[in-house]
Amino acid sequence: MRTLLIPICAAAVFALPAQADRLPIPANAPPSFAAECGGCHLPFPPALLTAPDWKQVMARLDKHYGDNASLDEKTRRELEDFLVRHAATDRRKAGAGDPPRLTESVWFRREHREVPQAVWNDARVKSAANCAACHTRAEAGSYREREIVVPGLGRHK
Ligand code: HEC
Ligand code: HEC
Protein backbone atom coordinates (compact mmCIF):
# COMPACT_ATOMS: atom_id res chain seq x y z
CA MET A 1 0.00 0.00 0.00
CA ARG A 2 2.77 2.37 1.01
CA THR A 3 4.56 2.04 -2.32
CA LEU A 4 1.31 2.80 -4.10
CA LEU A 5 0.29 5.77 -1.98
CA ILE A 6 3.52 7.72 -2.20
CA PRO A 7 3.52 8.25 -5.97
CA ILE A 8 -0.19 9.09 -5.87
CA CYS A 9 0.37 11.79 -3.24
CA ALA A 10 3.31 13.21 -5.19
CA ALA A 11 1.15 13.38 -8.32
CA ALA A 12 -1.57 15.19 -6.38
CA VAL A 13 0.90 17.83 -5.22
CA PHE A 14 2.13 18.51 -8.73
CA ALA A 15 -1.41 18.56 -10.07
CA LEU A 16 -2.29 21.60 -7.94
CA PRO A 17 -3.61 24.46 -10.08
CA ALA A 18 -1.00 26.79 -11.53
CA GLN A 19 -0.30 30.03 -9.65
CA ALA A 20 -3.23 32.43 -9.92
CA ASP A 21 -1.07 35.21 -11.33
CA ARG A 22 0.38 33.15 -14.20
CA LEU A 23 -1.97 32.67 -17.12
CA PRO A 24 0.26 31.82 -20.06
CA ILE A 25 -1.08 30.86 -23.45
CA PRO A 26 -0.29 27.11 -23.72
CA ALA A 27 2.82 26.50 -25.85
CA ASN A 28 0.90 24.13 -28.13
CA ALA A 29 -1.49 26.89 -29.26
CA PRO A 30 -2.05 26.72 -33.02
CA PRO A 31 -0.57 29.77 -34.83
CA SER A 32 -4.14 30.72 -35.80
CA PHE A 33 -4.87 31.49 -32.13
CA ALA A 34 -2.71 34.62 -31.95
CA ALA A 35 -3.58 35.52 -35.54
CA GLU A 36 -7.37 35.16 -35.26
CA CYS A 37 -8.05 35.78 -31.56
CA GLY A 38 -5.36 38.36 -30.85
CA GLY A 39 -6.14 40.97 -33.46
CA CYS A 40 -8.91 42.96 -31.74
CA HIS A 41 -7.96 42.27 -28.10
CA LEU A 42 -5.20 40.26 -26.48
CA PRO A 43 -5.69 36.52 -26.92
CA PHE A 44 -7.50 35.61 -23.70
CA PRO A 45 -6.01 32.72 -21.70
CA PRO A 46 -8.11 29.58 -22.35
CA ALA A 47 -8.02 28.77 -18.60
CA LEU A 48 -10.36 31.73 -17.92
CA LEU A 49 -13.57 30.18 -19.28
CA THR A 50 -15.12 26.73 -18.93
CA ALA A 51 -15.39 24.33 -21.88
CA PRO A 52 -19.17 24.84 -22.32
CA ASP A 53 -18.63 28.61 -22.33
CA TRP A 54 -15.88 28.41 -24.98
CA LYS A 55 -18.21 26.29 -27.10
CA GLN A 56 -20.84 29.00 -26.88
CA VAL A 57 -18.32 31.71 -27.78
CA MET A 58 -17.06 29.69 -30.76
CA ALA A 59 -20.56 28.78 -31.95
CA ARG A 60 -21.50 32.42 -32.51
CA LEU A 61 -18.45 34.20 -33.90
CA ASP A 62 -20.67 36.13 -36.29
CA LYS A 63 -22.35 37.79 -33.29
CA HIS A 64 -19.26 38.33 -31.14
CA TYR A 65 -20.02 40.98 -28.49
CA GLY A 66 -21.20 43.38 -31.17
CA ASP A 67 -18.47 42.42 -33.65
CA ASN A 68 -18.13 39.86 -36.41
CA ALA A 69 -15.23 37.47 -35.79
CA SER A 70 -16.29 34.73 -38.21
CA LEU A 71 -13.76 32.12 -39.37
CA ASP A 72 -13.69 29.33 -41.92
CA GLU A 73 -14.97 26.08 -40.40
CA LYS A 74 -11.56 24.36 -40.29
CA THR A 75 -9.94 27.19 -38.31
CA ARG A 76 -12.99 27.61 -36.09
CA ARG A 77 -12.90 23.90 -35.19
CA GLU A 78 -9.15 23.96 -34.56
CA LEU A 79 -9.47 26.93 -32.20
CA GLU A 80 -12.53 25.55 -30.42
CA ASP A 81 -10.69 22.25 -29.80
CA PHE A 82 -7.67 24.13 -28.45
CA LEU A 83 -9.74 26.36 -26.13
CA VAL A 84 -11.83 23.46 -24.83
CA ARG A 85 -8.74 21.34 -24.20
CA HIS A 86 -7.21 24.05 -21.98
CA ALA A 87 -10.44 25.39 -20.49
CA ALA A 88 -11.06 26.12 -16.81
CA THR A 89 -12.08 23.14 -14.75
CA ASP A 90 -13.18 25.43 -11.93
CA ARG A 91 -16.93 26.16 -12.08
CA ARG A 92 -16.31 29.67 -10.74
CA LYS A 93 -14.83 30.46 -14.13
CA ALA A 94 -18.25 30.16 -15.79
CA GLY A 95 -19.15 33.53 -17.26
CA ALA A 96 -22.55 35.21 -17.46
CA GLY A 97 -23.42 37.05 -20.66
CA ASP A 98 -24.44 36.17 -24.17
CA PRO A 99 -21.98 35.00 -25.37
CA PRO A 100 -20.44 34.31 -21.94
CA ARG A 101 -17.81 36.74 -20.67
CA LEU A 102 -14.86 35.75 -18.53
CA THR A 103 -15.06 39.23 -17.00
CA GLU A 104 -18.53 38.31 -15.66
CA SER A 105 -17.34 35.20 -13.83
CA VAL A 106 -17.52 34.93 -10.04
CA TRP A 107 -13.75 34.50 -10.05
CA PHE A 108 -13.05 37.67 -12.04
CA ARG A 109 -15.43 39.77 -9.96
CA ARG A 110 -13.88 38.56 -6.74
CA GLU A 111 -10.31 39.25 -7.91
CA HIS A 112 -11.31 42.77 -8.98
CA ARG A 113 -13.78 43.79 -6.29
CA GLU A 114 -11.31 46.43 -4.99
CA VAL A 115 -11.17 48.24 -8.32
CA PRO A 116 -13.36 51.37 -8.04
CA GLN A 117 -16.11 51.88 -10.63
CA ALA A 118 -14.52 55.15 -11.80
CA VAL A 119 -11.47 53.16 -12.95
CA TRP A 120 -13.56 50.86 -15.20
CA ASN A 121 -15.09 53.97 -16.78
CA ASP A 122 -11.68 55.66 -17.33
CA ALA A 123 -11.03 56.30 -21.04
CA ARG A 124 -7.69 54.48 -20.73
CA VAL A 125 -9.47 51.33 -19.49
CA LYS A 126 -12.94 51.45 -21.12
CA SER A 127 -13.62 47.76 -20.49
CA ALA A 128 -12.77 45.08 -17.97
CA ALA A 129 -11.75 42.95 -20.97
CA ASN A 130 -8.88 45.38 -21.61
CA CYS A 131 -6.55 43.43 -19.30
CA ALA A 132 -3.38 45.16 -20.54
CA ALA A 133 -4.69 48.56 -19.41
CA CYS A 134 -3.66 47.59 -15.85
CA HIS A 135 -1.70 44.35 -16.12
CA THR A 136 1.44 45.66 -17.78
CA ARG A 137 2.68 42.16 -18.68
CA ALA A 138 -0.66 40.63 -19.69
CA GLU A 139 0.64 40.00 -23.22
CA ALA A 140 3.18 37.62 -21.67
CA GLY A 141 0.50 35.89 -19.59
CA SER A 142 1.75 37.44 -16.34
CA TYR A 143 -0.70 39.03 -13.88
CA ARG A 144 1.51 39.49 -10.83
CA GLU A 145 0.43 42.15 -8.34
CA ARG A 146 3.64 44.12 -8.60
CA GLU A 147 3.15 44.48 -12.35
CA ILE A 148 -0.27 46.13 -11.97
CA VAL A 149 -0.47 49.85 -12.77
CA VAL A 150 -4.05 51.13 -12.59
CA PRO A 151 -4.72 54.26 -14.72
CA GLY A 152 -5.41 57.18 -12.36
CA LEU A 153 -4.33 55.20 -9.27
CA GLY A 154 -0.82 54.20 -10.23
CA ARG A 155 1.15 51.20 -9.13
CA HIS A 156 -0.99 48.73 -7.24
CA LYS A 157 1.47 47.57 -4.55
C1 HEC B 1 -13.14 41.56 -35.13
C2 HEC B 1 -12.57 41.74 -33.79
C3 HEC B 1 -12.52 40.51 -32.90
C4 HEC B 1 -11.93 39.28 -33.16
C5 HEC B 1 -11.24 38.84 -34.43
C6 HEC B 1 -12.11 38.49 -31.94
N1 HEC B 1 -12.74 39.22 -30.98
FE1 HEC B 1 -13.19 38.59 -29.11
N2 HEC B 1 -14.06 40.41 -28.72
C7 HEC B 1 -14.16 41.46 -29.60
C8 HEC B 1 -14.85 42.57 -28.95
C9 HEC B 1 -15.17 43.92 -29.58
C10 HEC B 1 -15.16 42.13 -27.64
C11 HEC B 1 -15.84 42.92 -26.53
C12 HEC B 1 -14.75 43.62 -25.78
C13 HEC B 1 -15.25 44.48 -24.63
O1 HEC B 1 -16.37 44.32 -24.15
O2 HEC B 1 -14.45 45.32 -24.18
C14 HEC B 1 -14.64 40.77 -27.53
C15 HEC B 1 -14.75 40.00 -26.38
C16 HEC B 1 -14.32 38.70 -26.26
C17 HEC B 1 -14.52 37.88 -25.08
C18 HEC B 1 -15.22 38.32 -23.80
C19 HEC B 1 -14.31 39.18 -22.94
C20 HEC B 1 -14.95 39.48 -21.60
O3 HEC B 1 -15.42 40.60 -21.40
O4 HEC B 1 -14.99 38.57 -20.77
C21 HEC B 1 -13.99 36.65 -25.35
C22 HEC B 1 -13.97 35.46 -24.43
C23 HEC B 1 -13.45 36.70 -26.69
N3 HEC B 1 -13.66 37.96 -27.22
C24 HEC B 1 -12.83 35.65 -27.33
C25 HEC B 1 -12.37 35.69 -28.64
C26 HEC B 1 -11.83 34.54 -29.34
C27 HEC B 1 -11.66 33.16 -28.75
C28 HEC B 1 -11.50 34.97 -30.60
C29 HEC B 1 -10.93 34.14 -31.73
C30 HEC B 1 -11.75 33.03 -32.17
C31 HEC B 1 -11.86 36.38 -30.70
N4 HEC B 1 -12.38 36.77 -29.50
C32 HEC B 1 -11.69 37.17 -31.82
C33 HEC B 1 -13.66 41.49 -30.88
C34 HEC B 1 -13.02 40.46 -31.52
C1 HEC C 1 -8.76 48.48 -14.29
C2 HEC C 1 -7.59 47.68 -14.09
C3 HEC C 1 -7.66 46.20 -14.38
C4 HEC C 1 -8.13 45.55 -15.50
C5 HEC C 1 -8.67 46.17 -16.77
C6 HEC C 1 -7.97 44.13 -15.26
N1 HEC C 1 -7.44 43.94 -14.02
FE1 HEC C 1 -6.89 42.15 -13.19
N2 HEC C 1 -6.44 43.08 -11.45
C7 HEC C 1 -6.44 44.45 -11.24
C8 HEC C 1 -6.09 44.71 -9.84
C9 HEC C 1 -5.98 46.10 -9.19
C10 HEC C 1 -5.87 43.45 -9.23
C11 HEC C 1 -5.42 43.16 -7.82
C12 HEC C 1 -6.62 43.09 -6.90
C13 HEC C 1 -6.18 42.79 -5.48
O1 HEC C 1 -5.20 43.34 -5.01
O2 HEC C 1 -6.82 41.99 -4.85
C14 HEC C 1 -6.09 42.45 -10.28
C15 HEC C 1 -5.96 41.07 -10.08
C16 HEC C 1 -5.95 40.13 -11.10
C17 HEC C 1 -5.54 38.76 -10.96
C18 HEC C 1 -5.04 38.10 -9.68
C19 HEC C 1 -3.54 38.28 -9.57
C20 HEC C 1 -2.98 37.54 -8.38
O3 HEC C 1 -1.89 37.93 -7.96
O4 HEC C 1 -3.58 36.62 -7.88
C21 HEC C 1 -5.66 38.17 -12.19
C22 HEC C 1 -5.29 36.75 -12.58
C23 HEC C 1 -6.18 39.18 -13.10
N3 HEC C 1 -6.34 40.36 -12.40
C24 HEC C 1 -6.48 38.95 -14.41
C25 HEC C 1 -7.08 39.90 -15.25
C26 HEC C 1 -7.52 39.62 -16.61
C27 HEC C 1 -7.38 38.27 -17.31
C28 HEC C 1 -8.05 40.79 -17.10
C29 HEC C 1 -8.70 41.02 -18.44
C30 HEC C 1 -9.72 40.05 -18.87
C31 HEC C 1 -7.93 41.81 -16.04
N4 HEC C 1 -7.35 41.21 -14.95
C32 HEC C 1 -8.32 43.12 -16.16
C33 HEC C 1 -6.73 45.40 -12.17
C34 HEC C 1 -7.25 45.17 -13.44
Side-chain angles (χ1 to χ4, degrees):
M1 218 34 213
R2 189 170 279 261
T3 47
L4 249 182
L5 269 174
I6 290 164
I8 290 169
C9 291
V13 168
F14 291 115
L16 282 174
Q19 260 176 292
D21 57 5
R22 291 280 315 148
L23 295 165
I25 304 301
N28 64 357
S32 55
F33 183 59
E36 306 295 351
C37 303
C40 302
H41 44 69
L42 63 81
F44 295 117
L48 286 185
L49 271 185
T50 62
D53 282 352
W54 279 125
K55 285 187 184 162
Q56 281 195 52
V57 170
M58 295 306 288
R60 277 177 285 157
L61 287 175
D62 58 326
K63 293 202 171 63
H64 185 75
Y65 313 91
D67 231 320
N68 185 343
S70 297
L71 294 170
D72 63 86
E73 180 53 21
K74 184 168 167 282
T75 313
R76 194 202 66 77
R77 250 266 95 99
E78 174 181 56
L79 290 174
E80 178 175 305
D81 290 349
F82 163 71
L83 289 163
V84 163
R85 210 160 48 239
H86 298 281
T89 47
D90 180 342
R91 282 188 301 117
R92 288 174 308 171
K93 302 267 171 74
D98 186 26
R101 283 181 178 266
L102 54 96
T103 54
E104 293 291 334
S105 67
V106 171
W107 168 84
F108 188 92
R109 288 172 163 252
R110 196 197 53 226
E111 290 289 359
H112 295 88
R113 71 189 155 207
E114 287 174 19
V115 178
Q117 189 55 47
V119 168
W120 299 121
N121 301 338
D122 189 297
R124 291 163 288 185
V125 178
K126 287 204 207 85
S127 163
N130 189 9
C131 319
C134 304
H135 295 279
T136 57
R137 298 199 60 240
E139 293 282 357
S142 181
Y143 292 84
R144 285 190 290 190
E145 291 207 355
R146 62 185 150 96
E147 295 160 356
I148 301 173
V149 181
V150 180
L153 298 180
R155 200 161 280 281
H156 183 60
K157 266 178 189 155

